[in-house]
Amino acid sequence: MLISALNGGVLVEGSDIDLRKTFDCGQCFRFERAGEDAFRGVAFGRVLQIRVGGDGSFFVSDMSVSEFSARYTAFFDLESDYAGMRKRLASAGLLPEALKNGDGIHILRQDFWETLCSFIIAQNNNIPRIRKIIGAFCRLLGDEIDDGVYAFPTAEKTAAAGSAALAPVRAGYRAAYIAEAAEKAASGALSEAALRAAGLEEATKALRALNGVGPKTAACVALFSLGYGDAFPVDVWMRRALRNRCAEGFSPRVFGSLAGLAQQYLFYNERYFSSQRRSAAPGSDPAPKA
DNA sequence: CTCCAGGGAGCTA
DNA sequence: TAGCTCCATGGA
């Protein structure tokens, strides 16, 4: 993989990441298509305008190589050996069709507070509406970092606003959960560094101490932001996949530290390639019609 | 109208 | 531990 400066932006060549799948496998909610082979989104307080080229290359506008290397190499998880991980998952017996269909998915390393807040919002909700609520939340309390583009609100500002102020976001009963999580994150009672150091089991326990955070949300935060590759979020799609396509007595433990990646493959396969799926995703959905 | 959505809290037995 | 019901909201 090669990262170089080009026309005021950053050109990444020789990566195995498939951005379309990566942005659309349910792990992040703030990236969208911006025309053919282009995406726009916000991560770590920064607008990312991306054009996808051939041969695993993509171009990020208006960014220096040093900024990209400092933050976004990790965000896109560009340095992990996905080919090797896929081999290990295949040997461990992961459903071949899920492995095949999910080729190119990377697990993003997202901001801790944003991930926690986003997956609190996600509970008992569907993906289009999760995106809508998060968008409204960002417009309400986030800094405008470009014309009509808003950063994810900080925990401090969210805590200061309080749950009643979140009403226009239409998050329903989740508003109180958001406000409480914001207070704990802002006050330092909930420390990202401590959670990273604690190990998955203890981190999960600490996250679940928050009102509105159960096993699934805690697993998502652990996997998508804290770097616990062995976390395995189980949601309705995963139950469906486990019921329909996995052997009796299946346990994600067989995938060890790659359980989270296995989960993403199974999720993506079940949601977009299952003939038993209930409905296709909405029109903006960049996923293939299989 | 009912059912569902990348669930979780609170209660019961 | 397992199995309920309810929780705001909006789309199908």
Side-chain angles (χ1 to χ4, degrees), chain A residues 176-190:
Chain A
Y177 299 157
I178 294 168
E180 183 190 329
E183 283 173 26
K184 301 228 165 120
S187 72
L190 192 66

Side-chain angles (χ1 to χ4, degrees), chain A residues 15-62:
Chain A
S15 166
D16 59 0
I17 190 171
D18 183 320
L19 290 171
R20 182 188 57 72
K21 293 181 190 174
T22 298
F23 290 146
D24 201 52
C25 63
Q27 58 177 322
C28 68
F29 303 102
R30 299 213 66 205
F31 281 81
E32 56 189 19
R33 280 220 123 128
E36 190 71 12
D37 297 322
F39 301 92
R40 187 175 76 163
V42 181
F44 291 102
R46 184 76 156 78
V47 182
L48 271 72
Q49 309 238 31
I50 305 171
R51 277 207 317 277
V52 179
D55 288 341
S57 76
F58 65 94
F59 175 75
V60 181
S61 304
D62 187 32

Side-chain angles (χ1 to χ4, degrees), chain A residues 72-269:
Chain A
Y72 297 99
T73 299
F75 175 71
F76 288 110
D77 195 21
L78 295 178
E79 295 188 333
S80 294
D81 175 19
Y82 276 84
M85 294 192 283
R86 289 170 56 77
K87 274 186 190 166
R88 287 167 56 196
L89 288 174
S91 321
L94 179 63
L95 190 69
E97 62 175 270
L99 206 51
K100 174 175 170 292
N101 290 329
D103 191 14
I105 290 176
H106 277 207
I107 293 182
L108 297 172
R109 187 68 61 93
Q110 302 179 69
D111 175 74
F112 166 66
W113 158 246
E114 175 173 344
T115 308
L116 173 61
C117 187
S118 295
F119 281 94
I120 286 174
I121 289 169
Q123 71 166 257
N124 198 26
N125 228 333
N126 56 62
I127 290 179
R129 206 168 83 90
I130 295 164
R131 288 177 174 271
K132 197 173 164 187
I133 290 171
I134 291 174
F137 179 47
C138 293
R139 278 190 297 280
L140 181 69
L141 292 178
D143 292 335
E144 187 169 15
I145 53 176
D146 200 352
D147 291 342
V149 182
Y150 295 82
F152 199 87
T154 63
E156 289 75 12
K157 192 161 179 184
T158 307
S163 94
L166 296 176
V169 169
R170 311 299 291 164
Y173 62 86
R174 304 169 193 83
Y177 299 157
I178 294 168
E180 183 190 329
E183 283 173 26
K184 301 228 165 120
S187 72
L190 192 66
S191 147
E192 176 180 1
L195 291 170
R196 282 181 183 277
L200 178 59
E201 198 173 330
E202 287 305 310
T204 299
K205 222 164 118 184
L207 287 166
R208 287 193 57 178
L210 293 168
N211 207 8
V213 176
K216 188 268 179 182
T217 302
C220 286
V221 174
L223 179 61
F224 300 138
S225 75
L226 296 175
Y228 290 108
D230 46 340
F232 191 89
V234 177
D235 60 11
V236 290
W237 293 100
M238 205 46 42
R239 290 185 206 291
R240 217 166 275 155
L242 297 178
R243 172 160 35 83
N244 296 337
R245 305 178 206 292
C246 296
E248 192 79 16
F250 168 91
S251 167
R253 289 177 177 282
V254 301
F255 301 121
S257 63
L258 300 181
L261 182 59
Q263 191 273 1
Q264 284 304 98
Y265 285 139
L266 289 169
F267 177 90
Y268 187 77
N269 180 250

